[in-house]
């Protein structure tokens, strides 16, 4: 088999691509980098990103790029290092339609079976979308990626007033690549050219005019066309700024204290009259102790005993809000923002409900967060265990804290 025979065999059933990149991009403004298809995003020209996606698809054969005659040096620089012999550059015409026709002419002899026609300034095309288009092209039918129109559409009337609201239930915004049987779309372009029709804005509209059925295929919200300078800036930011994920952490705490003789218990910073008190080195506020541990856990800062050892006499009888406020300060120094806290008091007595509002207000002041971010609940132990025998009180606490986002390793 000769090299020519081998090439013909390889192109049997070939899917070729046309990349239209001959425009001047005037709406994007002027730049020393040249027209928008040569502007840098993510350290590479827009057109380079587009080309590389098509070239990584093994089903794509020849890729014809229509460029402006003045852009040969820019194209050579943009494609430097791309040694793939599938890329063919041709000079485009005075319009997108004219450039596409000239690119299609470059695909004759031998002709591909299918051709995908794509805007060079849609650099976020992905392999999945290319797959959907190729799969949807059949003998006698093309395929168009699109998205349903989400905005309300108005038709303008005289003097800039609204003439009517256009129903949008069956409206779709067209994207590229648009796929077609090569012979049909090439013939349609030639016919339009001979008739002097130069008013088509995309290839699907030429296909529609030529009575070629075109199937709508799900497009991609990422497959944006870079039109304005702002679009290019956002595309560059998207590619150069690392992905940052919300760093939401949850910590848990548990504490328990036994009863001793007394006349009140302190829970969540509120003294509640009772015929006993809780025994401990400090004021034995199990709610605040458990919550202190929960907050410290969100940034790996140990537990309450790490910062306030019970062996140190200075903490004897201390009010536990000191411990909680210290933990909150550590969280904030680490950049954390307390999203919410949840405290459950487990006891047979005293009743917590009548004091919940006061407890919430106390915690809001200690943590400097809104009351709606605080949950205080109570439950009994159904007469079981030391709590059920009214020998003490236990508390379970959970804290959720949002820290500055981190780039995953």
């Amino acid at each position: 088999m000769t090299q020519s025979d081998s090439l013909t065999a390889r192109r049997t059933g070939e899917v070729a691509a046309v990349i239209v990149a001959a425009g001047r991009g005037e709406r994007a403004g002027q730049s020393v980098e040249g027209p928008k298809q040569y502007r840098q995003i993510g350290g590479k020209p827009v057109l380079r990103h587009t080309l590389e996606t098509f070239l990584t698809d093994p089903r794509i054969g020849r890729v014809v790029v229509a460029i402006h005659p003045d852009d040969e040096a820019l194209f050579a620089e943009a494609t430097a290092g791309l040694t793939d012999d599938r890329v063919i550059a041709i000079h485009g015409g005075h319009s997108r339609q004219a450039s596409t026709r000239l690119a299609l002419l470059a695909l004759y002899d031998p002709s591909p079976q299918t051709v995908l026609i794509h805007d060079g300034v849609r650099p976020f095309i992905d392999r999945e979308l290319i797959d959907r288009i190729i799969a949807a092209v059949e003998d006698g039918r093309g395929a168009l990626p699109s998205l349903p129109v989400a905005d309300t559409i108005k038709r303008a009337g005289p003097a800039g007033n609204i003439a009517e609201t256009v129903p949008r239930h069956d409206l779709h915004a067209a994207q590229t690549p648009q796929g077609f049987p090569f012979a049909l779309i090439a013939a349609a372009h030639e016919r339009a050219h001979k008739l002097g029709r130069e008013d088509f804005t995309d290839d699907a509209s030429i296909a529609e005019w030529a009575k070629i059925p075109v199937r709508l295929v799900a497009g991609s919200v990422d497959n944006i066309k870079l039109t304005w300078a702002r679009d290019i800036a956002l595309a560059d930011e998207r590619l150069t700024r690392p992905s940052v994920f919300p760093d939401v952490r949850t910590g848990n705490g548990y504490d328990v204290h036994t009863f001793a003789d007394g006349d009140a218990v302190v829970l969540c910073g509120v003294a509640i009259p009772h015929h006993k008190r809780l025994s401990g080195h400090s004021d034995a506020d199990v709610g605040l102790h458990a919550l202190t541990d929960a907050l410290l856990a969100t940034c790996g800062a140990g537990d309450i005993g790490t910062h306030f050892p019970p062996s140190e006499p200075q903490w004897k009888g201390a009010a536990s809000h000191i411990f909680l406020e210290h933990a909150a300060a550590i969280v904030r120094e680490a950049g954390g923002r307390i999203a919410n806290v949840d405290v459950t008091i487990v006891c047979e007595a005293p009743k917590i409900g009548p004091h919940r509002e006061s407890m919430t207000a106390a915690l809001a002041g200690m943590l400097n967060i809104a009351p709606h971010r605080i949950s205080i609940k109570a439950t009994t132990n159904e007469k079981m265990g030391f709590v059920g025998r009214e020998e003490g009180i236990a508390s379970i606490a959970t804290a959720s804290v949002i820290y500055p986002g981190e780039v995953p390793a």
Side-chain angles (χ1 to χ4, degrees), residues 97-98 101 188-198 209:
Q97 181 181 334
R101 172 182 165 270
H189 266 277
E190 284 304 310
R191 181 181 167 207
H193 173 68
K194 289 177 181 178
L195 293 175
R197 290 291 305 271
E198 297 184 349
W209 169 75

Side-chain angles (χ1 to χ4, degrees), residues 50-61:
T50 305
L51 269 173
E52 286 180 346
T53 301
F54 279 90
L55 293 175
T56 56
D57 192 320
R59 294 161 303 171
I60 302 294

Side-chain angles (χ1 to χ4, degrees), residues 13 44 56 73 79 101 108-109 120 127 143 149 160 167 177 181 198 220 225 257 279 281 312 347 362 365 371 394 398:
K44 292 188 289 189
T56 56
T79 57
R101 172 182 165 270
Y108 281 100
D109 192 25
R127 288 277 299 276
V149 173
E198 297 184 349
S220 168
K225 184 177 182 181
H257 283 282
S279 175
H281 189 63
E312 294 185 3
C347 64
T398 302

Side-chain angles (χ1 to χ4, degrees), residues 269-284:
V270 175
I272 301 174
H274 192 54
H275 61 279
K276 295 180 180 180
R277 66 176 176 85
L278 289 172
S279 175
H281 189 63
S282 61
D283 63 5

Side-chain angles (χ1 to χ4, degrees), residues 83-104:
T83 57
D84 201 307
D85 63 0
R86 291 177 291 171
V87 179
I88 304 167
I90 61 105
H91 288 168
H94 62 279
S95 66
R96 184 192 186 281
Q97 181 181 334
S99 294
T100 303
R101 172 182 165 270
L102 293 172
L104 291 171

